[in-house]
Amino acid sequence: MEVTVLGIGCAKCKSTVAMIERVAATPAVMIDGVVVHSGGIPAHEAVEAWLKPQPLELLRSPTRHLFFTGKGGVGKTSLSTAVALHLADAGKRVLLVSTDAASNLDEMLGIVLKNTPVPVPDAPNLSVLNIDPDTAAESYRQRVVAQMAADSSDAELSTVREQLSGACTTEIASFDEFASLLSDADNHYDHIVFDTAPTGHTLRLLSLPKAWSGFLAGNDRGASCLGPHSGLKMQEVRFKAALDALSDPSKTTVVLVTRPDAGAIAEASRTADELNALGLHNQRLVVNGVFHASDRSDAIAGAIETLGKQALAAMPGNLLVLPQDQVPLRAFDTVGLAALRALLGTAQAVAATPPVADLQTLRQGAGLDELADALAQAGKGLIMVMGKGGVGKTTIAAALAIGLVQRGKSVHLSTTDPAAHLAVTLDGAVEGLRVDRIDPIVETQRYVDKIMASKGPHLDAQEKALMLEDLRSPCTEEVAVFHAFSKVVSEARSAFVVLDTAPTGHSLLLMDATGAYHRQMVREFEGHSAGRMVTPLMRLQDPAYTRIIVVTLPETTPVSQAQALQEDLRRAQIEPFAWVVNKSVLAAGTHDPLLGARLTGERQQMQRIANGLSKRVFVVPWQVLPPIGLAALSSLVKAPA
């Protein structure tokens, strides 16, 4: 190729020629058929990264967008952060995005998260962004109001602001931030890595581009719970671009994260099918926390390894066909850059087995049977089991419900979790125990039918069609679920209701809806029988009516998130009744070197909880056999003879 620079030999011309020669003389570099560099002189660190073996196959040729999703507690945040850090260390410009309202990225990386990209110290090329629901909602409100006609009256503006005060506005605003990243045409980043909320909430997030695109198609009139449709129409192009990016296998990869655990694998399998139905076919599987016992005489270690092998051997066919990586169980918590970089390494450092700690402060009268005894004394009320995904909320909720039945109580056990594992955990019926779930699809249809039955008879055909069009809005689901939740809460006036909640982030959105409804009722009843008004929030704030059980694992991240959840609840004037520390290997006892190395961290978290996070702490040891089925659950809460 001949290149000619036209000019009279001035300094600018000579500089241009030198630049062309300098760039053209730099060869492109390919490794395993992938172009890793072209143009300019690469940094020394970048060359070192090219030559290192890739710790995961998914890093050989990653797409621009990487979504990490899976059941709560499988290690999505750790893996997504480690992958983002690895790509940044290789010289790529990377943005790590959290879509989880209960994210702990700030603790992992030692930075303050914001809704704008924040550079990570000591990790050049890596920035982190947290999609904060409240900030996103306020920004969305301002944009919708700003695009309204300048001659809108104060009453019209006030109406729109009221329409934009609900929880569904928070959801669509968060999605709007998410969509803007997918439709980013500036390509400021080489890779955008998404650390998502647990599966149920993430599937809803990923379905929103399609849902809102369909809702907006040909819909130019009326108003929805998100304000004027024109406020949504201005985002239609962005929604379409987001849908296109998600569906393009050259741009987007969904990484299904699981552990060698039957429940986590089953959820990954369901997620894979639902993602395929949404058109997201470019999927990979990462099995995190694979454990190999080094001491065969250790019953706990042997049981953990055996259960893992059995779960992997029984993996469903739709997951077996996916490209797969495995990450071994590590002896350390993934907090800090050094630990995150080591997570994907090949060496497995094992510390000496520490001495067994004295757990007297936590174990005296602190089994789950003791908690069931304490709850039964009230005779009735709402018991809400809350916590981070993957800590065992469903198991604890089911066990407590059975414990109350054993103590002669009538119990309604329900769940607000879109993933809904109650039926699998119980695996049978119990006399005196009614089990159901708040099904978003069923509740949405029930809500639509109720609205149409109430308002439809007074409308003509065109008005009915417009109302039905509004009710097709995806945020109708959030409203419907809140109404179903409120109904379940009210049942606790005369019986026990045990509620297995969705993982923390989704539950906090439900709490936001509860607070928004309370504020609306206070405004409407102000000066008119306000003293007789009882809202769901007021019931949640009443310690005689509601008992919140916070479930955690004895690890840094789950304990920190449980603490953050407790602080959020306290800001809403809701005080947790007790904490449950689930799956304690320390309480079960082990002398395996790898598990022993992890006990140092567990002991620290046990002490941290005992030193003031909760006045009532109950410990459930790690079980050799998973507590699934009536017999296993009953053994956790067996009433004294």
Side-chain angles (χ1 to χ4, degrees), residues 208-224:
L208 284 174
K210 193 172 185 178
W212 279 110
S213 295
F215 176 68
L216 292 171
N219 190 344
D220 295 307
R221 300 179 57 189
S224 71

Side-chain angles (χ1 to χ4, degrees), residues 95-98 105 114-118 127-131 181:
L95 178 64
L96 177 60
V97 180
S98 172
L105 272 175
K114 298 180 180 179
N115 63 329
T116 55
V118 177
S127 296
V128 183
L129 181 151
N130 182 49
I131 297 180
L181 294 169

Side-chain angles (χ1 to χ4, degrees), residues 68-71 73-84 96-100 102-109 113 193-198 257 288 334 340 343 388 557 561:
F68 285 76
T69 189
K71 189 175 186 292
V74 295
K76 296 183 301 296
T77 300
S78 298
L79 284 172
S80 59
T81 307
V83 164
L96 177 60
V97 180
S98 172
T99 68
D100 189 351
S103 175
N104 65 307
L105 272 175
D106 51 352
E107 183 175 24
M108 276 191 175
L109 295 171
L113 294 180
V193 180
F194 292 88
D195 167 38
T196 71
V257 182
N288 188 32
T334 50
L340 289 164
L343 178 62
K388 180 183 183 292
T557 295
Q561 291 199 329

Side-chain angles (χ1 to χ4, degrees), residues 487-535:
K487 182 179 178 182
V488 170
V489 168
S490 68
E491 290 183 19
R493 290 176 295 177
S494 56
F496 273 112
V497 174
V498 179
L499 199 57
D500 166 37
T501 69
T504 303
H506 201 240
S507 293
L508 290 177
L509 288 176
L510 184 60
M511 291 298 217
D512 285 344
T514 306
Y517 177 80
H518 174 80
R519 292 188 294 273
Q520 179 184 341
M521 290 298 97
V522 169
R523 286 195 299 269
E524 291 186 6
F525 282 88
E526 188 173 6
H528 303 283
S529 305
R532 296 194 296 271
M533 178 189 68
V534 179
T535 67

Side-chain angles (χ1 to χ4, degrees), residues 234-538:
M234 68 181 182
Q235 313 290 26
E236 188 170 8
V237 174
R238 182 181 290 180
F239 294 169
K240 175 69 166 55
L243 180 59
D244 291 343
L246 284 172
S247 306
D248 187 344
S250 69
K251 294 180 179 178
T252 300
T253 303
V254 180
V255 183
L256 299 168
V257 182
T258 186
R259 283 188 177 269
D261 168 81
I265 289 173
E267 181 155 328
S269 176
R270 289 192 297 270
T271 304
D273 288 340
E274 294 194 47
L275 290 170
N276 278 322
L278 291 171
L280 279 70
H281 305 299
N282 188 19
Q283 302 173 22
R284 299 188 63 97
L285 182 70
V286 176
V287 184
N288 188 32
V290 178
F291 174 71
H292 299 287
S294 58
D295 185 345
R296 296 293 172 180
S297 67
D298 190 310
I300 297 296
I304 292 176
E305 180 180 4
T306 299
L307 288 172
K309 287 181 175 178
Q310 291 173 347
L312 293 176
M315 185 177 289
N318 65 338
L319 296 183
L320 285 174
V321 300
L322 297 179
Q324 182 185 134
D325 288 297
Q326 291 193 0
V327 177
L329 181 68
R330 301 302 188 184
F332 48 82
D333 276 345
T334 50
V335 176
L337 295 181
L340 289 164
R341 287 186 168 110
L343 178 62
L344 301 184
T346 55
Q348 176 64 74
V350 178
T353 305
V356 176
D358 178 12
L359 289 180
Q360 278 311 105
T361 55
L362 287 179
R363 295 186 66 182
Q364 282 184 338
L368 213 56
D369 54 339
E370 294 287 338
L371 176 55
D373 287 340
L375 294 172
Q377 292 176 9
K380 62 181 180 180
L382 174 67
I383 299 166
M384 287 185 67
V385 183
M386 304 183 71
K388 180 183 183 292
V391 297
K393 295 184 304 298
T394 301
T395 297
I396 301 302
L400 289 175
I402 290 174
L404 290 170
V405 170
Q406 290 176 347
R407 288 156 178 78
K409 310 300 180 183
S410 178
V411 182
H412 176 195
L413 173 61
S414 188
T415 180
T416 65
D417 190 346
H421 308 292
L422 269 180
V424 174
T425 302
L426 281 168
D427 193 29
V430 179
E431 186 176 352
L433 177 63
R434 177 164 65 95
V435 182
D436 61 21
R437 76 185 187 99
I438 297 176
D439 186 319
I441 296 175
V442 172
E443 297 302 336
T444 299
Q445 187 58 52
R446 186 176 294 158
Y447 178 78
V448 170
D449 291 344
K450 179 181 178 181
I451 295 297
M452 292 305 298
S454 172
K455 299 185 178 180
H458 308 293
L459 305 176
D460 60 30
Q462 184 178 7
E463 290 170 332
K464 284 183 180 179
L466 283 173
M467 177 169 285
L468 276 172
E469 188 67 34
D470 283 345
L471 291 171
R472 282 182 54 228
S473 154
C475 67
T476 298
E477 179 180 307
E478 294 296 320
V479 178
V481 167
F482 166 70
H483 280 277
F485 167 74
S486 300
K487 182 179 178 182
V488 170
V489 168
S490 68
E491 290 183 19
R493 290 176 295 177
S494 56
F496 273 112
V497 174
V498 179
L499 199 57
D500 166 37
T501 69
T504 303
H506 201 240
S507 293
L508 290 177
L509 288 176
L510 184 60
M511 291 298 217
D512 285 344
T514 306
Y517 177 80
H518 174 80
R519 292 188 294 273
Q520 179 184 341
M521 290 298 97
V522 169
R523 286 195 299 269
E524 291 186 6
F525 282 88
E526 188 173 6
H528 303 283
S529 305
R532 296 194 296 271
M533 178 189 68
V534 179
T535 67
L537 179 62
M538 294 165 70

